[in-house]
Amino acid sequence: MHQLSPGVPTTLDVPATGTLTVRPSGDHAPLVLAAFVRGGGGRERLSMYTSQAVNHTWRLSTGHALMSTDARELWEIVRDDCGVHYAGGGADDTCHPLLGAALTACGAHPDDLGPDGFFTAFAEPVYAPGGAWSVRPTSTAPGTELVLRARADQTVVLLVCPHRPRTDTAGATAEVTAP
Amino acid sequence: MTVLEPGGAVAAVVPAGARVRIGQVEGGQVADLVSFARPSGERLSMFRTRAHNASWRPSTGAVLASTAGRALWTIVEDTVGENYVGGGYCNPRVNLRRYGTAGVNTCEQNLARVLAEYGLDRHGFDPDTCFNVFMNVGYDPDGTWAIRPTPAVAGDHILLRAETDQLVAVSNCPQVLSDVNARDLKSLEWEVLP
């Protein structure tokens, strides 16, 4: 079990068919996930554009796959108690450099660290008909889980966003179960 | 003014203050635009653009921002008001997953081809780098993400002012597997104005 403190990236290696379970510790704890396939120079990574395009939805949840830049399935969402996540890509000025440093430290290619590689769990995008756009934290009930099954050997970096409208949440936990 | 033939592409270095005009000839055609500040190499960023404008449908007056949050372009005129800033472009890998074939030309290949003389390959840009001009993508309330025909008609155009020196590449989208170009490729006008 790994404790994910806000603002502190955690790097985990997950084998194909392994399972990653994330449990927010309380309300309003957006968690950014970035991943790349081990081998191949770190160039095949999570792609939110590809994930939306292949799943035909901007609301990824149970049964959907998180796709790579090569349009391979990286993760299957097998359980999602929250159901509200931001799949449009991007991280704020605090999170992006932290994620970039963690990713390059474990072998991701330095040219492939753009916003397209970041999935933000427990965050709600707003695409208003008039064009307004925002991303805001969601509420998560105690015991909420997001469970992902890996479809490839990969390295994943998890970061609980330290910018929250509330300060009474501690972060999240992550657990990897190997096959 | 140059006619960008169906499925064609172009790249150019433009100075700060120059304007790039992309116009419809017959209507119903979209373009993909990527750019890179010079000499820093900062990429255009659609995430930064959405955040800067607090909008997923930027039009006249909006700024297109770089990965560092700098203004790269200002939309000076936009007679359509339909552009996609979610990031992305057609490529063989997504075509294979969505449509079952990788055997048609794509914007990724077009952009990589014209950027090659500037030392960039397909890894030199990514989906976040790409501004989809005139492209109509729906974020429906039920969660549907759908590529739909552009409403652009003959005579419509967009005019972008460069806010810094930059390298820009434009692909006249060759996608025929979706409705984005109404499955019929058309010419576009392309012009760099002082």
Side-chain angles (χ1 to χ4, degrees), chain A residues 45 53 57 59 69 86 93 128, chain B residues 48 50 56 98 126 141 143:
Chain A
R45 60 151 173 84
T57 182
R59 288 170 58 175
T69 45
Y86 172 54
D93 287 344
Chain B
R48 289 288 194 170
R50 294 193 300 278
W56 63 281
R98 279 178 61 96
D126 81 348

Side-chain angles (χ1 to χ4, degrees), chain B:
Chain B
M1 189 272 293
T2 301
V3 172
L4 200 54
E5 62 188 30
V10 65
V13 174
V14 298
R19 294 165 298 157
V20 166
R21 180 183 179 279
I22 302 171
Q24 295 285 335
V25 177
E26 302 172 54
Q29 181 64 39
V30 309
D32 283 7
L33 182 152
V34 298
S35 74
F36 311 84
R38 288 168 73 94
S40 70
E42 285 166 50
R43 298 174 180 175
L44 184 62
S45 169
M46 292 301 99
F47 168 66
R48 289 288 194 170
T49 295
R50 294 193 300 278
H52 183 96
N53 298 285
S55 176
W56 63 281
R57 297 182 67 185
S59 185
T60 304
V63 163
L64 307 184
S66 77
T67 45
R70 285 201 301 156
L72 291 191
W73 303 93
T74 297
I75 302 177
V76 178
E77 296 175 9
D78 178 10
T79 63
V80 180
E82 196 72 67
N83 305 293
Y84 178 60
V85 295
Y89 37 75
C90 53
N91 65 64
R93 303 167 307 282
V94 170
N95 275 353
L96 186 60
R97 291 301 297 245
R98 279 178 61 96
Y99 311 112
T101 179
V104 299
N105 190 25
T106 66
C107 282
E108 180 183 75
Q109 292 160 298
N110 270 354
L111 294 168
R113 176 171 50 81
V114 297
L115 288 170
E117 69 176 282
Y118 299 94
L120 294 170
D121 62 13
R122 78 170 176 93
H123 295 292
F125 55 94
D126 81 348
D128 183 63
T129 317
C130 189
F131 176 53
N132 299 108
V133 184
F134 308 131
M135 186 167 169
N136 180 8
V137 174
Y139 290 90
D140 295 350
D142 67 357
T144 299
W145 183 95
I147 299 170
R148 297 181 172 127
T150 176
V153 299
D156 277 331
H157 70 275
I158 192 168
L159 185 66
L160 305 172
R161 183 179 65 236
E163 302 297 351
T164 186
D165 296 350
Q166 57 194 297
L167 167 64
V168 57
V170 173
S171 167
N172 185 355
C173 179
Q175 180 62 279
V176 292
L177 302 173
S178 77
D179 292 333
V180 65
N181 300 308
R183 300 176 191 268
D184 177 28
L185 303 184
K186 283 82 66 179
S187 298
L188 287 172
E189 297 169 345
W190 149 265
E191 192 170 17
V192 179
L193 303 164

Side-chain angles (χ1 to χ4, degrees), chain A residues 74-89:
Chain A
L74 287 191
W75 301 93
E76 178 189 357
I77 302 176
V78 294
R79 176 175 173 178
D80 179 9
D81 297 334
C82 176
V84 180
H85 313 289
Y86 172 54

